[in-house]
Amino acid sequence: MRTRLSIAVMLAWMTPSAAPALEFVEGKLQVHGFASQAVVKSTDNYYFGNSPETSFDFTEIGLNASYQKTPNLLFSGQLLVRRAGEMYDGTPSLDYGLVDFSPLSDAEKRLGVRLGRIKNPFGLYNETRDVPFTRPSIFLPQAIYYDKIRNALLSFDGIMFYGDRYLEQGNLSLNLGVGQSVIDNNVEWTYLGDDLDGDLRAEGINWGIGSLWFSTPSDSLKLGLSAILTEMDFNAGPESPLSSGTIDVFDWVASFQYNAADWTISAEYSRAPTRWNDFGPYWPFKDQVVEGYYLQGAYRLRPNLEIMSRYEEGFANRKDRDGRDFSDLTGGTTPRFDFFSKILTLGLRWDINPNIMFRLEFQRHDGTYALSIRENPDPGDLVREWDVFAASVSVRF
């Protein structure tokens, strides 16, 4: 609703220009928060709500807290209220909640373990994707950071071991984790094409996450390799057209970022071999390798004013980049352009003060693979070439 945008703008102008975090217990307990409201207008297709009619259904409100019990023991968590079209309805959820213990920490190295609901150190932006101020744009590159399966990518329930080594040449960071993925209805819509009679869930303790990062001491150069292994089990109900089966996904991404005084260049490449097992004769897909990549540049005209451009491509199967083979598997009911997305993005960021941010964004789309099937259930209504105009205002403390 328009009221949401009006409230966000009013809060922005009422927020002090340098509001500190709330601190308690002699500074050991810190509380932060943020709120963001966007308006989205598309020429066709549903993108975070009924965007052809102008959507105000992209709202984020978060509250996080951290308690530094001792120098080596930290408790941290965040609650998020997120409204994103038909994908997320604003129900409060736990983004992360963990205990971080680092028994070994000095000027040369650090070793530790995290336990709880933990953010996945996947790519450049996954760990910080839930906070509008830490994203490079209103919407992350959908060729890698799919919002249609956001919760499954964001975090997992389990344990993670990490280590950092500080060298003269730069810093090395290694993360290894295991646990259970966070599966919601959006994952079922994405991988099975509908909300079927049955239950899709993580298959036991099956989630594996690993990442290796190198960064120079000044963070001018950052290189990384991240991977996520997910196994899901579908228990079909009596009304399901599909049989009970399993889905295996191995998603990895190579990351590059270079930071200079006034500009930043980022690029990432991802592949996700995916396999469907035992779903019966009515499920046409068996194996595919999802592929995505982007190149992004940001230039700071002033310390508080930044322009950004990005080009990205994503494919349901790297061996079928025009979507022709996959469209044939559906008997032509799904158009071939629903199996790829090519997106050009131009953006502007204005930090009105350290706690208030305003953004404008334009996207030119060729293909609809980035779209949520949940928001666009009828493939016959899809339009191949379409544009998006978006604006957002965000506040934080």
Side-chain angles (χ1 to χ4, degrees), residues 96-108:
Y96 65 91
L98 58 90
V99 180
D100 188 326
F101 178 56
S102 54
L104 180 59
S105 181
D106 55 37
E108 295 181 349

Side-chain angles (χ1 to χ4, degrees), residues 197-219:
D197 181 25
D199 183 29
L200 182 68
R201 57 176 179 246
E203 189 180 5
I205 304 300
N206 63 71
W207 182 279
I209 174 70
S211 67
L212 178 63
W213 292 90
F214 170 80
S215 60
T216 56
S218 62
D219 273 340

